[in-house]
């Protein structure tokens, strides 16, 4: 019954991107912008853009939390 995956972690350009790529065929993918990171800011932003365009939705953490809280009600 799971249809959505929220991806967090470090290394936006490697682990996070690869997880999103692999999951996009099966799940709705959401990446909370403030819950991922990368040493190189340019690579971080480029990969967030790529994820948002092709693989899932990059959203503010606040919005993701509000949605999750709404599910509990």
């Amino acid at each position: 019954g799971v249809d959505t995956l929220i991806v967090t972690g470090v290394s936006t350009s490697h682990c996070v991107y690869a997880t999103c790529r692999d999951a996009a065929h099966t799940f709705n993918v959401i990446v909370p912008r403030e819950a991922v990171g990368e040493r190189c800011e340019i690579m971080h932003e480029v990969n967030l853009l790529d994820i948002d365009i092709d693989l899932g939705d990059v959203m503010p953490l606040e919005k993701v939390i509000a949605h999750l809280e709404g599910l509990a009600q």
Side-chain angles (χ1 to χ4, degrees):
V2 175
D3 65 355
T4 302
L5 181 66
I6 299 172
V7 180
T8 65
V10 180
S11 191
T12 310
S13 63
H14 292 96
C15 300
V16 173
Y17 182 85
T19 300
C20 293
R21 185 190 62 229
D22 291 346
H25 302 290
T26 308
F27 301 101
N28 297 317
V29 175
I30 297 173
V31 177
R33 179 175 277 281
E34 297 86 353
V36 293
E38 175 74 51
R39 284 190 281 175
C40 175
E41 187 64 27
I42 292 171
M43 292 300 293
H44 176 70
E45 291 300 327
V46 165
N47 280 278
L48 284 178
L49 179 62
D50 195 24
I51 291 167
D52 200 43
I53 289 171
D54 290 329
L55 304 174
D57 296 311
V58 177
M59 302 171 61
L61 178 60
E62 185 177 291
K63 204 170 183 182
V64 175
I65 290 171
H67 176 73
L68 292 173
E69 289 173 342
L71 294 176
Q73 297 175 1

